[in-house]
Amino acid sequence: MTLRAVVRGVGHYLPARVVPNTEFEDRVDTSDEWIRARTGIERRHFAAEGETTSDMGAAAALAALADAGMAVDEVDAIILATSTPDLTFPSAATMVQARIGMKRGFAFDVQAVCAGFVFALANANALILSGQARRILVIGAETFSRILDFTDRGTCVLFGDGAGAVVIEAAEGGGGSDDRGILATDLHSDGSFRDLLYVDGGVSTTGTAGHLRMQGNAVFRHAVEKLAATAHAALDKAGLGPADVDWIVPHQANLRIIAATASRMQVPMERVVVTVQDHGNTSAASIPLALSVGKARGQIKTGDLLVTEAIGGGLSWGSVVLRW
Ligand code: ACO
């Protein structure tokens, strides 16, 4: 018997305000046509004034618990991936813990920017495999609208706010690649690429939150190359190949990156969950949002083999192969 971390429930939350591409036409020199053609994005959600990352994370967590039919006091831990926490400390995860009325266990944040959910899921898997927790809420939640420079057309049109969550549980598997649960993980970082994608403020530098800065073209090239490589590596570790994949659930940054990665993996776009048109890039929230929307659409079904892959600031990138 092999211990596996199996997804029992999934949920998401999107703020009410939908921002169409046309709203940026008055602010910067851009057009709905350019944004759609170069990114695939049509709209995104922005959090309301006063609405925070932990507010959205808590809503997504409660939705995931409801989907799992699980009570809050059955959860042993919360891992929340974010680069836009409510406060410098305490962690957004502990704020979610308080908000959902969880009085036991432990909670902490993971920060790997757009790869945050993949890193959080890999860490949750390790906690389950090492026996430190049996049920974990893994959340991705972001308010990227708060760190955007709305005078920079190269970045402000790309990002959105939202949250997604899964609840995973320890279960016995047979040890083969037909087991349900997480089958393999593959994580990487290379801090020498810091200047390609960063926020120009922080606690120990400027004392401000700062704004997102990106060399989009260079990040694009790294993304296409590194995402396919990490997805292949994780599939290899699981003893599987691209032909076994039912769904790629990629980080939703740019439709051209998603399509190029799928093409390199030789997986047709019919087997890729795409939400970027409706959400924009929600950083660490994008994969759990896509999992939740993909399930609600009837795409992702029990027993399907999924590959999630993401890259973000750091650079940090990775993938998780799991059977739903
Ligand atoms: N509207 C109109 N023109 C624009 C806009 C815009 N919103 N943004 C940039 N342009 C212009 C540029 O100024 C440039 O003009 P120039 O030729 O006169 O200098 C031209 O369009 C081409 O710019 P590129 O950057 O080469 O455009 P590209 O096709 O690469 O698209 C984009 C830019 C969408 C940012 C793309 O590079 C991209 O998606 N990069 C990857 C982003 C990503 O994946 N991030 C993931 C991690 S995010 C995280 O971790 C937080």
Side-chain angles (χ1 to χ4, degrees):
M1 285 295 184
T2 303
L3 204 54
R4 299 287 194 192
V6 176
V7 175
R8 296 295 188 207
V10 62
H12 72 271
Y13 173 86
L14 287 161
R17 187 172 162 229
V18 178
V19 180
N21 290 343
T22 47
E23 214 172 282
F24 292 91
E25 292 175 349
D26 299 332
R27 296 191 189 199
V28 288
D29 181 13
T30 191
S31 65
D32 177 38
E33 193 188 9
W34 191 95
I35 300 168
R36 282 174 192 253
R38 305 306 292 167
T39 72
I41 297 166
E42 298 172 17
R43 60 193 72 80
R44 74 288 289 139
H45 294 248
F46 277 176
E49 205 180 322
E51 190 172 38
T52 67
T53 293
S54 70
D55 293 336
M56 296 192 297
L62 290 173
L65 286 173
D67 187 47
M70 211 178 274
V72 166
D73 59 12
E74 294 179 82
V75 177
D76 300 319
I78 297 176
I79 306 180
L80 189 151
T82 191
S83 301
T84 48
D86 302 30
L87 300 173
T88 300
F89 75 78
S91 67
T94 56
M95 294 185 187
V96 169
Q97 185 191 27
R99 180 69 61 88
I100 66 175
M102 181 177 154
K103 294 281 186 198
R104 56 188 293 278
F106 58 95
F108 62 96
D109 287 357
V110 160
Q111 208 271 52
V113 202
C114 296
F117 185 78
V118 166
F119 276 57
L121 199 54
N123 275 280
N125 184 48
L127 286 173
I128 284 182
L129 297 190
S130 62
Q132 295 179 75
R134 286 193 60 81
R135 297 186 189 88
I136 306 181
L137 262 169
V138 188
I139 306 167
E142 301 278 16
T143 41
F144 259 53
S145 62
R146 305 267 157 74
I147 54 166
L148 296 177
D149 174 355
F150 285 101
T151 67
D152 175 13
R153 68 178 181 175
T155 55
C156 73
V157 303
L158 303 176
F159 295 90
D161 302 336
V166 297
V167 51
I168 60 172
E169 182 178 37
E172 294 290 344
S177 60
D178 55 346
D179 282 352
R180 286 188 67 197
I182 294 173
L183 300 175
T185 65
D186 186 62
L187 304 181
H188 303 267
S189 302
D190 186 339
S192 68
F193 293 118
R194 179 186 108 153
D195 292 346
L196 297 186
L197 180 52
Y198 65 101
V199 169
D200 63 2
V203 178
S204 72
T205 50
T206 59
T208 63
H211 290 114
L212 185 146
R213 306 292 172 205
M214 178 166 70
Q215 296 176 34
N217 219 290
V219 175
F220 192 104
R221 286 196 298 275
H222 281 289
V224 172
E225 170 202 318
K226 291 180 167 51
L227 289 174
T230 184
H232 277 298
L235 281 168
D236 268 355
K237 290 181 193 178
L240 295 163
D244 301 306
V245 175
D246 292 300
W247 294 103
I248 300 178
V249 186
H251 171 48
Q252 310 282 323
N254 184 316
L255 187 57
R256 288 156 55 219
I257 295 174
I258 293 170
T261 305
S263 160
R264 280 190 175 220
M265 291 179 66
Q266 296 181 311
V267 172
M269 282 302 282
E270 295 73 50
R271 291 198 269 132
V272 183
V273 176
V274 180
T275 58
V276 71
Q277 68 281 5
D278 297 324
H279 304 160
N281 180 347
T282 57
S283 192
S286 93
I287 288 177
L289 264 165
L291 289 171
S292 184
V293 170
K295 185 190 171 198
R297 284 178 186 158
Q299 293 176 309
I300 299 170
K301 296 189 184 69
T302 303
D304 281 354
L305 187 81
L306 272 52
V307 179
T308 65
E309 30 91 344
I311 186 166
L315 297 174
S316 288
W317 66 100
S319 67
V320 172
V321 171
L322 71 144
R323 195 171 294 285
W324 193 256

